[in-house]
Amino acid sequence: MRKTACLLATAGLFLLLAWPAAAQQERVIRFGHLNNADHPVSFGVKRFAELLSAKSGGKLKVQEYPASQLGNELQQQSALQGGVQQMSAPATTSLAGIVKEFGLVDFPFAVANFEQADALLDGPLGQALIAKLPEKGLIALGYWDLGFRNVTNSKRPITRAEDFDGLKLRVIPNPVFLDTFKAFKANPVPMPFAELYGALEAKAVDGQENPFAVILSNKMFEVQKYVSATNHVYAANIVLVSKKFWDQLTPAEQKMMHDAANESRAYQRQVSRAAAQRAVGDLQAKGMQFNAVTVAEQKRMQQIAKPVVDKFAASYDPAIVQLYTSELARIGKK
């Protein structure tokens, strides 16, 4: 009996001694995303990597793979779920295929400014959506800024809803986007982002919609004439971690990951919003014709798209939809 107790005590001591070594093992985190290395998402990845390295004493190393090097949105999502890739930062739109309630974030003209967008995503609604991801093999560490989405095309300026009529527009492969642009009588074409420039160049599509910084970074001014500030949807990136990888981390390492993501968020948003502001002037300097859609016309477009919103809201988890509605009311008062 005494010998068994002694052996157990020795084993316990060995585990205690071994624990710090296990907690401090080096890990390489493959962090993929769709954007170029000069895009604000890339700056966010770099800041996250610096913070995580400092917090872990260099043991948690982030290796960035920008510009769709690890595949398109859905390929990287599958790689995270399978544990082949550790992190990514896609637009939230790409998650609607596995958690359909993420479609709420894509409802047109739901928020009018960055303050409202941040309050919606950082608050109870954003957290309720994040809570649905672990069962899908993903962990989310919060939301970064991608920006308000705007339309470019090679045919004409978009000043009112009727200007969309017949335009062949590339959209994210997402049902809310498809139905929204169908409501505007456009011809939406779902297509992975990595294929977009080639499709614009070949005139396979007339236009597309993305935030200003994405339009500039991907040189769409080379193949598009008109850029219209429709501000039809606020787009966010979501910082994702493979749950298979996450479950291998110690609680201390998980905390480092959370803290680095939280601390990099404000910086990334600041960089992204400053870049969007500069991008408008840069796009005009590159020869694009710019116009802004009036607030009155945006409200009119919102009414045209209302049946789309109602249709999707009816198919989502009622509790999440109710939370979304109450959160919109709360942030509208800000």
Side-chain angles (χ1 to χ4, degrees):
M1 190 74 178
R2 184 179 293 176
K3 187 176 179 183
T4 304
C6 187
L7 283 169
L8 285 170
T10 304
L13 180 62
F14 175 77
L15 285 171
L16 282 171
L17 290 170
W19 173 252
Q24 290 300 306
Q25 72 180 88
E26 285 195 4
R27 302 183 192 274
V28 177
I29 297 168
R30 287 156 53 87
F31 197 141
H33 60 91
L34 306 188
N35 301 100
N36 294 330
D38 64 350
H39 187 274
V41 166
S42 182
F43 289 120
V45 174
K46 291 176 178 70
R47 176 56 65 92
F48 173 79
E50 289 167 9
L51 289 165
L52 190 59
S53 178
K55 290 176 187 299
S56 66
K59 298 293 184 183
L60 294 175
K61 301 177 191 295
V62 174
Q63 205 164 3
E64 183 187 13
Y65 292 85
S68 304
Q69 287 179 30
L70 300 182
N72 64 34
E73 303 99 319
L74 298 180
Q75 287 168 335
Q76 292 199 40
Q77 180 181 293
S78 295
L80 258 68
Q81 290 170 311
V84 178
Q85 181 179 329
Q86 288 74 42
M87 291 188 73
S88 69
T92 58
T93 48
S94 65
L95 292 175
I98 57 167
V99 175
K100 61 184 179 179
E101 286 77 16
F102 269 97
L104 290 165
V105 182
D106 301 324
F107 281 177
F109 306 104
V111 294
N113 53 53
F114 294 128
E115 291 74 24
Q116 290 180 356
D118 292 348
L120 186 68
L121 291 173
D122 296 344
L125 177 80
Q127 294 310 305
L129 293 173
I130 281 174
K132 286 182 168 284
L133 288 172
E135 66 190 51
K136 306 295 183 183
L138 301 169
I139 300 291
L141 303 182
Y143 301 91
W144 284 353
D145 180 79
L146 188 54
F148 281 93
R149 301 183 76 91
N150 301 285
V151 174
T152 70
N153 79 99
S154 57
K155 299 284 191 186
R156 55 183 172 267
I158 305 296
T159 60
R160 57 199 187 114
E162 286 75 12
D163 293 327
F164 282 111
D165 198 344
L167 274 185
K168 193 180 280 189
L169 286 181
R170 176 269 176 182
V171 298
I172 288 175
N174 171 300
V176 175
F177 274 72
L178 282 164
D179 281 17
T180 296
F181 284 98
K182 281 178 186 171
F184 298 146
K185 296 187 167 59
N187 180 11
V189 180
M191 182 186 296
F193 182 76
E195 298 171 19
L196 175 55
Y197 184 93
L200 293 170
E201 189 175 33
K203 306 279 194 224
V205 291
D206 300 318
Q208 59 85 51
E209 47 81 53
N210 259 302
F212 290 132
V214 175
I215 295 165
L216 179 66
S217 177
N218 290 275
K219 301 187 187 323
M220 292 178 193
F221 52 82
E222 295 176 346
V223 289
Q224 297 276 268
K225 175 68 177 170
Y226 303 99
V227 56
S228 303
T230 50
N231 290 322
H232 52 278
V233 166
Y234 174 76
N237 287 85
I238 186 165
V239 181
L240 295 179
V241 186
S242 162
K243 188 174 186 299
K244 286 190 174 179
F245 172 71
W246 184 259
D247 290 344
Q248 295 168 16
L249 300 176
T250 66
E253 287 171 330
Q254 290 176 350
K255 185 177 187 304
M256 290 173 199
M257 297 270 285
H258 266 300
D259 290 348
N262 288 338
E263 289 170 35
S264 61
R265 181 178 59 200
Y267 166 80
Q268 191 279 335
R269 285 175 175 171
Q270 180 186 352
V271 168
S272 183
R273 288 159 190 179
Q277 208 166 12
R278 287 194 309 273
V280 176
D282 291 344
L283 290 170
Q284 288 174 287
K286 300 285 188 185
M288 292 194 84
Q289 185 177 315
F290 172 82
N291 73 284
V293 176
T294 66
V295 173
E297 184 60 24
Q298 287 175 345
K299 286 182 176 170
R300 184 171 162 258
M301 288 182 183
Q302 184 178 20
Q303 286 307 305
I304 292 171
K306 189 174 184 301
V308 175
V309 169
D310 293 344
K311 169 190 158 185
F312 282 98
S315 71
Y316 296 161
D317 178 343
I320 300 279
V321 174
Q322 187 176 1
L323 177 61
Y324 171 76
T325 305
S326 64
E327 281 295 285
L328 284 186
R330 177 180 72 85
I331 66 174
K333 294 171 186 169
K334 283 185 176 285

